[in-house]
Amino acid sequence: MTDPRYGGIAVLDFGSQYTQLIARRVREQNVYAEVFPFDADPAKVNAHEPRGYILSGGPSSVYEPGAPQLAHWMLKRNQETHTPILGVCYGMQALTHALGGIVSPSQAREFGPAQIQQTQYSPLLHGLPGQMNVWMSHGDRIEQPPSGFLPLAESDNSPHAAMGDLTRGLYGVQFHPEVVHTPQGAEILHNFIFGICGCEANWSPASFIEDALAAIRAQVGDEKVLLGLSGGVDSAVAGALIHRAISDQLTAIFVNTGLLRLNEPEDVVRVFQDEQGMNLIAVDATENFLEGLQGKTEPEQKRKLIGKLFIDTFAESARHLQGVKFLAQGTIYPDVIESAANSKSAHVIKSHHNVGGLPDDLQFKLVEPLRDLFKDEVRKVGTALGLPDHIVWRQPFPGPGLAVRCLGDITWERLETLRQADAIFTEELDKAGLLMRGTAQAFAVLLPVKSVGVMGDQRTYEEVIALRAVTTDDFMTADWARLPYDLLAKVSNRIVNEVRRVNRVTYDITSKPPGTIEWE
Ligand code: XMP
């Protein structure tokens, strides 16, 4: 079987917040897509022989000095090999500018929903209605397309809402087909990927797994691999994949920091040791962590200390293992793209559980089998590898664990209070079908204040729990989830009745920004 990464789409990033979304939308159609900075080395962009290029949007104005420009090699390649190009928003303007057309500031800027009308048949809009709703977000527009281009669709403010040079396979759209607010966006991308570029739909979890198993075996040979298993989705799927490839050559270390959610440590051991049959070293470092955290209430101080304790614990266990050459990490594609965009080292080390900071006597080569996958693909691979839903669909959880959600003093008693309240919230959300569907992340926070209440005829002075539930696509911005009142009432009632030392429950109704998702 050929490597399914070949013959896909290369996405060139001009700085849009939606660039990754373009690649995800292509992959949802079972075609591999990779993201590159707009000025990436052509040898890298073309390494997997893409059959088409998509140029992302971006915040700049193409006619301003220093604005990112379309690389000339791409136009040359289009001439020589007829590899099609689709420019999206700024990408369309960069294409226009590079080919001698004119881009200028628009009198009326378009942000949000707009309607376009097709003005001419094209393979790009083939089979789509004459009028369509789309999502626009631009201040510049095409004043004059390059020669050879025809207007394909117009909107009130954009005479060239879509344009194309059908002979050369060059297209541009002023709107964003990658966002859900462009209902026909997926079909437009489908037309480009299959109809215009001739890609094949060969990218799937199964094809990825087959390829990844061979790559892992080729990379590590007979050597031993070490994995830090956090219980989170990425390290779990990386572990399951590597285990399938090399079975007993893999050893996983799981550190119970005492800062995990209810039943989480037991769950990790059961799934990975008992069910998957992995060599697992489970270290209970709860006492160490609690001792270290005693009296520490400042968030950054907590984070740093937890990072250091984690490394120390992990390193000590790793030192007992003989002859390990490789360290496996659950690095995923968004981490890789971010590190390339920031021009940092090629191997990004996840901030949580920062095992990259291992001491000098413990240096390994990295195995990162999920480097090419988006989170939703990681989940699909996890399911295909037989991991249970409660691991695959686990909510994002910060590396420093409940320390981030236990504000003020961290004691075993307060952690237990938080764990129980959190478990009740999660259980009720799950029963209501809202865990990971109506909400992207939901958890309880224990506040560093006490409040007065009344129970029976007694005055109480007890802890306060805040519930946090958000909807978000990318965790960069988020909105608070509009949970049903009845559900909130039930959760609140259960928490004050079932969790000792809590007499008040609040619901956080702050979006991000200005709030963050966690409270710290
Ligand atoms: P904030 O609170 O910054 O969180 O809005 C955004 C997302 O990041 C998660 N988060 C972390 N994840 N290590 C992680 O791996 C961390 O130290 C960390 N801190 C926050 C948070 O849960 C949310 O999903």
Side-chain angles (χ1 to χ4, degrees):
M1 192 172 141
T2 52
D3 185 338
R5 292 176 302 175
Y6 279 78
I9 297 289
V11 179
L12 279 298
D13 181 15
F14 287 85
S16 165
Q17 56 177 328
Y18 301 131
T19 305
Q20 288 192 28
L21 206 49
I22 299 179
R24 277 175 54 194
R25 293 286 175 257
V26 173
R27 289 194 191 186
E28 279 166 13
Q29 314 220 22
N30 299 323
V31 170
Y32 186 66
E34 279 180 280
V35 177
F36 300 94
F38 72 96
D39 55 355
D41 177 354
K44 282 196 181 148
V45 180
N46 295 319
H48 291 128
E49 298 165 16
R51 294 214 177 139
Y53 304 106
I54 300 182
L55 317 176
S56 84
S60 312
S61 282
V62 76
Y63 44 79
E64 279 178 355
Q69 302 294 344
L70 182 65
H72 279 294
W73 65 258
M74 206 181 298
L75 293 174
K76 193 154 167 265
R77 194 171 163 94
N78 166 265
Q79 258 177 7
E80 289 167 2
T81 65
H82 203 78
T83 310
I85 304 176
L86 170 64
V88 171
C89 197
Y90 183 87
M92 175 205 219
Q93 295 159 9
L95 185 64
T96 301
H97 195 66
L99 290 167
I102 298 173
V103 180
S104 59
S106 179
Q107 300 293 355
R109 294 140 67 92
E110 282 181 298
F111 290 101
Q115 217 174 42
I116 59 166
Q117 285 85 35
Q118 287 199 55
T119 47
Q120 161 104 21
Y121 171 80
S122 69
L124 188 66
L125 303 178
H126 170 77
L128 295 170
Q131 271 203 351
M132 283 177 275
N133 293 325
V134 298
W135 186 261
M136 294 272 196
S137 175
H138 66 111
D140 290 344
R141 66 178 205 175
I142 309 299
E143 212 54 58
Q144 189 187 312
S147 68
F149 275 72
L150 299 169
L152 306 179
E154 62 185 17
S155 73
D156 283 351
N157 292 312
S158 301
H160 304 97
M163 63 176 201
D165 178 332
L166 280 51
T167 324
R168 288 190 284 176
L170 299 174
Y171 292 87
V173 288
Q174 189 57 75
F175 55 91
H176 288 272
E178 70 275 24
V179 305
V180 286
H181 311 288
T182 298
Q184 272 91 12
E187 287 164 72
I188 295 171
L189 289 173
H190 185 279
N191 282 344
F192 180 70
I193 302 165
F194 297 106
I196 296 169
C197 300
C199 294
E200 282 164 39
N202 61 354
W203 175 252
S204 65
S207 67
F208 167 82
I209 290 172
E210 195 173 319
D211 215 57
L213 294 176
I216 294 166
R217 290 183 192 122
Q219 187 189 0
V220 306
D222 299 331
E223 301 291 349
K224 289 185 182 160
V225 179
L226 177 63
L227 167 76
L229 198 60
S230 68
V233 184
D234 303 340
S235 67
V237 175
L241 191 60
I242 297 169
H243 185 244
R244 177 160 306 179
I246 57 168
S247 67
D248 283 350
Q249 286 166 251
L250 174 71
T251 301
I253 295 178
F254 167 66
V255 178
N256 180 3
T257 58
L259 301 167
L260 300 173
R261 288 161 290 191
L262 194 70
N263 299 331
E264 210 166 359
E266 297 80 1
D267 227 39
V268 168
V269 172
R270 185 173 48 76
V271 170
F272 293 95
Q273 196 166 57
D274 305 348
E275 292 172 16
Q276 297 264 321
M278 206 182 269
N279 285 329
L280 180 71
I281 302 172
V283 187
D284 187 354
T286 304
E287 300 238 325
N288 260 357
F289 277 77
L290 281 179
E291 211 171 286
L293 284 164
Q294 218 171 28
K296 307 242 171 7
T297 53
E298 203 275 313
E300 273 309 299
Q301 200 186 13
K302 282 182 186 172
R303 270 179 183 271
K304 287 208 178 92
L305 182 83
I306 291 165
K308 180 177 177 316
L309 286 173
F310 184 86
I311 298 281
D312 291 351
T313 316
F314 186 86
E316 195 188 314
S317 298
R319 276 199 193 95
H320 293 303
L321 299 169
Q322 301 293 313
V324 175
K325 289 260 168 61
F326 291 91
L327 179 71
Q329 287 214 137
T331 311
I332 67 170
Y333 197 43
D335 306 328
V336 175
I337 299 175
E338 265 155 43
S339 88
N342 298 334
S343 313
K344 286 201 194 125
S345 70
H347 286 299
V348 94
I349 305 298
K350 290 205 136 184
S351 56
H352 70 299
H353 290 182
N354 194 4
V355 280
L358 284 171
D360 284 347
D361 67 314
L362 281 178
Q363 290 301 321
F364 304 101
K365 290 184 210 155
L366 293 180
V367 185
E368 299 176 305
L370 310 178
R371 275 179 73 81
D372 290 333
L373 300 191
F374 287 111
K375 193 82 168 191
D376 43 345
E377 295 173 315
V378 171
R379 292 202 160 105
K380 283 184 193 153
V381 167
T383 301
L385 288 168
L387 287 175
D389 274 2
H390 69 271
I391 297 271
V392 169
W393 287 98
R394 186 152 283 186
Q395 295 199 34
F397 189 57
L402 293 183
V404 169
R405 299 175 184 170
C406 186
L407 279 58
D409 274 334
I410 296 182
T411 62
W412 183 251
E413 196 177 64
R414 295 193 80 227
L415 285 169
E416 283 292 285
T417 301
L418 176 55
R419 264 190 271 273
Q420 285 166 21
D422 187 67
I424 290 171
F425 188 28
T426 308
E427 187 189 320
E428 292 299 333
L429 280 168
D430 196 17
K431 273 199 232 159
L434 288 170
L435 196 62
M436 300 298 286
R437 286 181 202 95
T439 56
Q441 200 172 2
F443 52 86
V445 180
L446 186 60
L447 301 191
V449 286
K450 287 191 166 187
S451 83
V452 170
V454 57
M455 267 188 193
D457 288 332
Q458 300 274 321
R459 174 188 184 275
T460 58
Y461 185 55
E462 300 281 18
E463 304 261 27
V464 183
I465 285 283
L467 302 175
R468 181 70 161 146
V470 296
T471 54
T472 174
D473 258 351
D474 57 8
F475 297 89
M476 309 284 282
T477 61
D479 198 4
W480 58 280
R482 304 313 197 250
L483 295 180
Y485 282 173
D486 286 350
L487 174 70
L488 288 169
K490 185 157 186 205
V491 173
S492 159
N493 214 4
R494 279 195 60 192
I495 290 176
V496 289
N497 280 306
E498 294 174 34
V499 184
R500 284 186 50 218
R501 297 180 291 275
V502 175
N503 69 354
R504 192 178 293 269
V505 176
T506 67
Y507 187 49
D508 181 355
I509 52 166
T510 323
S511 62
K512 171 185 179 178
T516 49
I517 295 174
E518 302 287 348
W519 279 48
E520 296 255 6

